[in-house]
Amino acid sequence: MGNLLQNLLSDEDLAQNFAESKPSYNAQEALDEANRCLYCYDAPCIKACPTGIDIPSFIKKIASGNLKGSAKTIMEENPIGASCARVCPTEELCEGACVLNDSTKPIMIGDLQRFATDWSIKNEQVMFKVGKKNGKRIAIVGSGPAGLSAARELGRLGYEVTVFESKGEAGGLDTHGIVPFRLPKDISLWEVEQVESLGVEIRTNAEVGKDIFAADLVSDYDSVILTAGMSKVPMLGIDGEDLEGVYDAIDLVEETKNENYSTEFIGKRAAVIGAGNTAIDGATTSVRLGADNVKILYRRTEAEMSAYDFEYEFAKQDGVEFRWLIAPKRLIGDRNDHVKQIECVRMELKEAGSDGRMRPVEIEGSEFLMDVDIVIKAIGQTRHHQLIDEFGLEHHNGVVKVDNETYLTSQPKVYAAGDVVFEKGVGEAMAVSAAQQGKETAYAIHQQFKASELGNV
Ligand SMILES: Cc1cc2nc3c(=O)[nH]c(=O)nc-3n(C[C@H](O)[C@H](O)[C@H](O)COP(=O)(O)OP(=O)(O)OC[C@H]3O[C@@H](n4cnc5c(N)ncnc54)[C@H](O)[C@@H]3O)c2cc1C
Ligand code: SF4
């Protein structure tokens, strides 16, 4: 079966499997959808957008044929508005708040946002102008949604901004971590170009802590913003993790973003450990790489899984199977040190722990073996402890502590925003929230400098 599929799935087929899956609106569809909007006064959709995009205004501009103005309205509030059009959980945000939910169906705000921003991308629009230089220099560590948004706003305000990015391309998880069939890489790279067009310097392959010292940034710049996000998937802490055929879900997705499609999955059985959005991405990526059977193993139940409902539905449509109340105990290899089985144990849920979630507990003697060819680890992300320590920042288990309004850390010149300040159980780690925090950090820095010029600090 494997060999047969291997012959059938060419490189082009694999590339096609990773092309953007959802079709975009054509002009008539966009117009029809825009014309359904009621242009509500005090529109609830605006309040539900973490970046506060003036949604009725951008929709009205689509209806009147002003696509440039529409895209500008979107990008004004959200520097990663083209990516967010594709990756935001709109059902839980703007579309979830649309008044039309009470009568018919909500306006498809995400699709309209995509239509307007795609027009800008195709027509090579440069959206914003650099501000008059004010002589202040800001260093930003990390070029994901938070770093890019802070950089853009600071560039517009006249700051000289340098972004340090450890990877070869900027854009953070939008470029490297969100599956290409939902967010193609060229979309986030366009957003990076928009920021660069404001004179922001983005130094790629520049890892702070290795290529540049944190202390040098603090001494050489007027302020530093830490927007390094989170790190790799944590170890499962069981035997066999170093076997061949065991993948980190984020690394796996990154490979496909770079158009490197492993042929190891074709016709094989893959098991994904975890049930958050990263696990879903690992599973749907495995399907597109040609896996014959993909199972998600989760130690709790459907009710506790953290993946968005639409992601869950998407995975089910892809044929992904879900196995609840199962945890891996060890991974077993063959004579070539390639994973061949998982020793699993059945779990039951006991009373909630301190985090308010039901606690999974092993059922004694319920161990069993599951045959697999590939295992994908997807149980969240670790934190940048070493980097945070280099800056000498107060943190809680790797979550940097900041002032809620200014994003100032425990060090007077260092701010932090995005996933690096995201605390589990406090909202969702979303690209749009990171973008908003990046903007707010930029404004807080500007306020601080303005106040010190006036002698108020
Ligand atoms: C698999 C996956 C799927 C997701 N899907 C969605 C989704 O569908 N919708 C959604 O809204 N959100 C999604 N998210 C969450 C979203 O991607 C993040 O919340 C968002 O990207 C956080 O932005 P950020 O700028 O804080 O960090 P990141 O996007 O992680 O960017 C941080 C950047 O800092 C760089 N960096 C790290 N350390 C250093 C260093 N020492 N020196 C220099 N640079 C450094 C990194 O290379 C990276 O480019 C997903 C996350 C994952 C992991
Ligand atoms: S709530 Fe719905 S109908 Fe009202 S302005 Fe927003 S998108 Fe339009």
Side-chain angles (χ1 to χ4, degrees):
M1 177 68 176
N3 284 342
L4 182 66
L5 273 168
Q6 197 139 10
N7 292 334
L8 288 175
L9 271 181
S10 64
D11 285 352
E12 290 79 45
D13 291 332
L14 285 172
Q16 190 54 41
N17 285 351
F18 285 90
E20 190 163 17
S21 55
K22 192 173 174 189
S24 56
Y25 276 156
N26 63 34
Q28 189 58 50
E29 286 166 336
L31 189 62
D32 289 348
E33 189 63 9
N35 281 330
R36 286 204 311 121
C37 179
L38 305 176
Y39 309 118
C40 305
Y41 174 74
D42 210 14
C45 54
I46 302 180
K47 293 197 187 101
C49 171
T51 56
I53 294 175
D54 187 343
I55 291 165
S57 169
F58 96 68
I59 294 179
K60 198 166 222 165
K61 286 173 185 153
I62 292 178
S64 65
N66 176 8
L67 293 181
K68 182 174 182 177
S70 177
K72 195 157 182 199
T73 302
I74 294 162
M75 300 297 290
E76 173 74 40
E77 298 301 339
N78 186 346
I80 55 156
S83 292
C84 280
R86 291 161 164 89
V87 306
C88 271
T90 47
E91 298 83 353
E92 299 183 20
L93 301 172
C94 52
E95 289 169 16
C98 176
V99 295
L100 290 175
N101 278 297
D102 297 334
S103 48
T104 55
K105 67 176 185 106
I107 299 293
M108 295 292 104
I109 299 169
D111 291 341
L112 288 174
Q113 183 163 322
R114 175 173 163 188
F115 181 75
T117 50
D118 278 1
W119 182 90
S120 268
I121 295 173
K122 279 189 203 109
N123 289 281
E124 297 179 3
Q125 298 294 306
V126 176
M127 306 245 105
F128 301 100
K129 288 203 186 96
V130 61
K132 190 166 165 279
K133 287 281 172 251
N134 62 18
K136 300 278 184 209
R137 300 172 73 227
I138 313 289
I140 299 181
V141 184
S143 65
L148 277 187
S149 298
R152 197 203 63 180
E153 292 308 82
L154 289 165
R156 290 175 78 192
L157 289 165
Y159 291 82
E160 190 184 319
V161 184
T162 309
V163 181
F164 297 88
E165 169 55 56
S166 56
K167 296 213 181 263
E169 285 176 306
L173 288 170
D174 284 354
T175 297
H176 302 286
I178 300 186
V179 285
F181 41 92
R182 289 185 54 226
L183 176 58
K185 198 170 168 178
D186 53 354
I187 304 298
S188 67
L189 292 180
W190 174 76
E191 291 162 346
V192 170
E193 279 169 25
Q194 292 292 314
V195 174
E196 286 177 317
S197 73
L198 296 167
V200 169
E201 185 192 354
I202 302 184
R203 287 192 206 161
T204 50
N205 295 312
E207 182 175 337
V208 176
K210 189 174 143 221
D211 304 309
I212 309 110
F213 293 119
D216 289 342
L217 294 186
V218 175
S219 64
D220 294 352
Y221 290 82
D222 293 294
S223 292
V224 178
I225 312 177
L226 183 63
T227 49
M230 292 190 250
S231 191
K232 293 203 169 283
V233 173
M235 298 296 279
L236 297 169
I238 58 176
D239 283 347
E241 283 191 70
D242 51 353
L243 289 168
E244 290 293 317
V246 180
Y247 289 79
D248 169 318
I250 297 177
D251 288 346
L252 178 67
V253 172
E254 185 168 349
E255 284 296 304
T256 65
K257 285 287 246 196
N258 292 329
E259 297 178 15
N260 295 327
Y261 308 115
S262 165
T263 50
E264 199 200 346
F265 286 63
I266 298 173
K268 299 287 171 55
R269 296 157 299 185
V272 182
I273 317 290
N277 294 313
T278 308
I280 303 276
D281 286 352
T284 51
T285 294
S286 303
V287 171
R288 279 163 183 72
L289 286 171
D292 200 28
N293 177 272
V294 182
K295 291 185 183 69
I296 283 192
L297 311 184
Y298 184 43
R299 61 197 181 126
R300 293 185 167 95
T301 72
E302 187 178 16
E304 290 85 23
M305 73 186 285
S306 59
Y308 297 127
D309 288 348
F310 76 90
E311 286 265 45
Y312 181 32
E313 285 309 314
F314 186 61
K316 284 195 286 190
Q317 279 165 22
D318 260 5
V320 174
E321 296 172 18
F322 288 78
R323 298 279 185 273
W324 311 114
L325 294 168
I326 287 178
K329 280 196 98 167
R330 77 186 159 112
L331 307 182
I332 302 164
D334 61 17
R335 68 176 69 156
N336 297 318
D337 286 336
H338 193 287
V339 66
K340 68 165 188 177
Q341 283 178 317
I342 310 177
E343 184 186 328
C344 300
V345 63
R346 296 193 192 283
M347 311 293 281
E348 59 185 340
L349 292 182
K350 291 278 166 84
E351 69 284 356
S354 55
D355 62 355
R357 300 177 83 200
M358 296 287 280
R359 212 163 33 88
V361 178
E362 279 185 30
I363 302 177
E364 222 179 290
S366 67
E367 287 82 359
F368 66 98
L369 295 178
M370 180 183 284
D371 293 337
V372 291
D373 306 299
I374 286 162
V375 171
I376 297 161
K377 300 186 285 181
I379 54 165
Q381 285 178 273
T382 53
R383 300 284 175 166
H384 289 296
H385 285 272
Q386 203 182 325
L387 182 64
I388 293 165
D389 286 343
E390 276 207 28
F391 277 104
L393 307 180
E394 273 181 32
H395 64 94
H396 179 244
N397 294 332
V399 180
V400 177
K401 285 194 179 170
V402 287
D403 177 275
N404 284 341
E405 278 173 19
T406 63
Y407 294 92
L408 186 63
T409 66
S410 54
Q411 294 291 345
K413 279 171 79 177
V414 183
Y415 296 74
D419 277 4
V420 83
V421 304
F422 171 73
E423 191 138 22
K424 213 171 167 193
V426 185
E428 308 264 7
M430 291 185 292
V432 68
S433 319
Q436 179 61 13
Q437 290 177 11
K439 276 167 55 189
E440 287 172 11
T441 308
Y443 305 147
I445 288 175
H446 190 53
Q447 284 305 325
Q448 155 76 22
F449 285 133
K450 274 200 330 198
S452 62
E453 270 166 22
L454 294 170
N456 293 340
V457 170

